[in-house]
Amino acid sequence: MEHLERCARVLRATLVRAAVRRYLPWALAASMLAGSFLKELSPLPESYLSNKRNVLNVYFVKVAWAWTFCLLLPFIALTNYHLTGKAGLVLRRISTLLVGTAIWYVCTAIFSNVEHYTGSCYKSPALEGIRKEHQNKQQCHQEGGFWHGFDISGHSFLLSFCALMIVEEMAVLHEVKTDRSHHLHTAITTLVVALGFLTFIWVCMFLCTAVYFHDLSQKVFGTLFGLLGWYGTYGFWYLKSFSPGLPPQSSSLNLKRDSYKK
């Protein structure tokens, strides 16, 4: 338990800082561009992380929203109820996960449709010989073809969106004070560590996507959707009264407005 406590303290001292929330979006955008230019100008040698079947990609990134949802749900519920004691407010804050689910669903549907309407089925990965009889990606793959369209990076979108959402929700830790002997303290500490490591995985895999996969334009659009999903909610809508609201903290609304003005 002592190791868990130390790890949680380190994460509180880093991820919970206002500067992290303010500059992480810019850091993600800059790293995406830097990684993409590196991929184009001086590609890195293949590694374990460049293999799409690596453990982090298969068991974490492929279900990134499920991991984020399942860990944020108890974290938001416990911390918000501990601070407010109001079930109605807790349910209102939990609805941020429903909003996030809607953003994930709509964006991935858009990406799929863009790839479908801009794509064609080819006989080989070298894009030789169009197979006009196959009009969609699924049919093309079933018949041994290779579908090529404008494939907006779902990884760039989802990993940036999830990382930013976790950091925003962890801001509540500025206000959370619990008795170390209480079960609630153990539960929140465990969730803080889990969410911290999850954020680390999302950022690392975001960087791997930048240096190993997709074209620059595909990653730009994917990252843009992630940043817009985050800013449209935490930077704009959640500041309004008719919204799920921001995590409860002292003068949260004023602090949040000031952070986005700077």
Side-chain angles (χ1 to χ4, degrees), residues 2 26 34 41 49 77 82 92 133-134 140 151 168 188 195 208 211 216 227 229 238 250 259:
E2 188 61 33
W26 296 102
L41 300 176
L49 292 176
H82 173 68
R92 178 184 174 189
E133 68 274 18
H134 304 311
C140 176
D151 182 18
E168 290 287 353
I188 292 177
L195 285 167
C208 287
V211 298
L216 172 61
L227 295 181
Y238 293 175
S250 299
S259 70

Side-chain angles (χ1 to χ4, degrees), residues 42-222:
S42 180
L44 295 179
E46 290 189 4
S47 68
Y48 177 72
L49 292 176
S50 67
N51 186 336
K52 293 182 179 181
R53 292 192 176 93
N54 73 72
V55 171
L56 292 178
N57 192 54
V58 173
Y59 294 105
F60 286 90
V61 178
K62 291 291 185 183
V63 284
W65 180 244
W67 277 106
T68 303
F69 187 103
C70 290
L71 287 178
L72 277 181
L73 178 60
F75 178 79
I76 293 173
L78 290 175
T79 54
N80 283 255
Y81 188 76
H82 173 68
L83 288 174
T84 66
K86 298 178 181 178
L89 182 60
V90 172
L91 290 175
R92 178 184 174 189
R93 291 259 42 259
I94 287 176
S95 68
T96 57
L97 295 174
L98 298 180
V99 175
T101 301
I103 291 173
W104 163 74
Y105 181 83
V106 170
C107 288
T108 52
I110 291 173
F111 299 167
S112 179
N113 279 292
V114 168
E115 186 182 14
H116 170 73
Y117 287 112
T118 61
S120 299
C121 186
Y122 294 86
K123 295 179 180 179
S124 72
L127 307 183
E128 297 174 346
I130 296 180
R131 304 174 69 167
K132 294 183 179 181
E133 68 274 18
H134 304 311
Q135 298 300 315
N136 62 66
K137 184 177 181 178
Q138 183 178 7
Q139 185 184 32
C140 176
H141 286 171
Q142 287 175 347
E143 297 299 324
F146 299 86
W147 188 268
H148 180 73
F150 189 73
D151 182 18
I152 297 175
S153 177
H155 281 27
S156 295
F157 153 67
L158 190 55
L159 295 176
S160 60
F161 179 66
C162 287
L164 290 168
M165 186 173 183
I166 291 173
V167 169
E168 290 287 353
E169 290 299 333
M170 289 183 77
V172 74
L173 293 173
H174 280 300
E175 305 299 319
V176 175
K177 303 291 186 293
T178 55
D179 184 349
R180 293 187 63 176
S181 63
H182 199 281
H183 293 306
L184 178 64
H185 178 81
T186 303
I188 292 177
T189 298
T190 303
L191 287 168
V192 167
V193 173
L195 285 167
F197 276 107
L198 199 64
T199 304
F200 177 76
I201 292 173
W202 295 163
V203 173
C204 284
M205 295 308 290
F206 179 87
L207 297 176
C208 287
T209 300
V211 298
Y212 286 121
F213 305 104
H214 289 281
D215 295 335
L216 172 61
S217 58
Q218 296 168 347
K219 285 175 284 193
V220 166
F221 276 99

